[in-house]
Amino acid sequence: FFAAATYLLYLPTHSFGTIAIVTVFMSFFYNGIQPILDSMSLQLVKKNSSFNYGTLRLAGAVGWSVTGIITGQVIDSINITMIFVVSFVSMLGVFLFALGIKKETAGENAGIEKSVYTDFGKVISNRQLLLLLICVFLVSTGATAIWNFYSIYMKENGATATLVGYGLSFQGLCE
């Protein structure tokens, strides 16, 4: 909820200082969401073999794509500040949906939380896993430039916000 609410704080913000402060608050509330979702997904995979992590990633890619298209069209129709409204609405939807997720009892969750700490040594000593983690780090490092500046590059080459939305949506669907 607080992640959603902080997006609206950008609307009346016009100075660098207030944008920086709002960004700190937004980051504080938003940045934990993806790791929590990944952890919940891995717990579901461990408990229920019929759950498929790939299906979850596909749903995320489709959500990314749909939102990119909608946001691009909204920006072209209204203005750039609508990105904060779209983000607020999307995150508020996540919050409302999350209210329906069944809470685990302490007994069900205790073994999972314990394994995070006891298995750390196993992760560090596994050369193949460390190689995979290094690869993930390098891919993320390489992709950062694209994720952060691709839309600016497209705009500098004359793309409308709608076209940027379609470009980012296509990129998400290719996932």
Side-chain angles (χ1 to χ4, degrees):
F1 175 78
F2 291 119
T6 55
Y7 287 120
L8 294 180
L9 295 177
Y10 282 104
L11 293 173
T13 304
H14 300 291
S15 73
F16 177 78
T18 53
I19 289 172
I21 291 168
V22 170
T23 300
V24 167
F25 281 106
M26 184 276 302
S27 297
F28 178 79
F29 293 113
Y30 173 79
N31 287 335
I33 293 172
Q34 192 64 47
I36 290 170
L37 290 174
D38 283 341
S39 294
M40 290 173 65
S41 301
L42 294 174
Q43 288 177 14
L44 285 171
V45 168
K46 189 173 185 177
K47 285 179 167 183
N48 184 352
S49 61
S50 67
F51 181 80
N52 183 328
Y53 185 76
T55 303
L56 179 74
R57 295 297 297 163
L58 180 62
V62 170
W64 173 276
S65 297
V66 169
T67 304
I69 292 168
I70 291 170
T71 303
Q73 291 177 348
V74 168
I75 290 169
D76 277 341
S77 298
I78 303 172
N79 65 41
I80 190 71
T81 61
M82 292 306 294
I83 62 174
F84 305 115
V85 175
V86 171
S87 294
F88 166 74
V89 169
S90 298
M91 291 300 293
L92 186 61
V94 169
F95 171 72
L96 295 174
F97 183 77
L99 291 176
I101 296 175
K102 178 186 161 251
K103 183 178 178 184
E104 292 187 16
T105 62
E108 292 175 323
N109 203 23
I112 293 168
E113 286 184 15
K114 180 182 173 193
S115 70
V116 170
Y117 301 108
T118 59
D119 292 340
F120 183 73
K122 292 178 186 176
V123 170
I124 297 300
S125 64
N126 185 331
R127 291 181 59 105
Q128 285 183 310
L129 183 55
L130 281 177
L131 181 61
L132 175 65
L133 292 175
I134 290 169
C135 288
V136 168
F137 173 80
L138 292 173
V139 166
S140 296
T141 301
T144 296
I146 295 297
W147 290 119
N148 290 334
F149 301 105
Y150 180 64
S151 60
I152 296 170
Y153 173 77
M154 289 182 71
K155 294 286 275 184
E156 284 185 357
N157 285 299
T160 64
T162 298
L163 184 59
V164 170
Y166 280 113
L168 292 173
S169 294
F170 178 72
Q171 191 175 18
L173 278 178
C174 289
E175 183 177 319

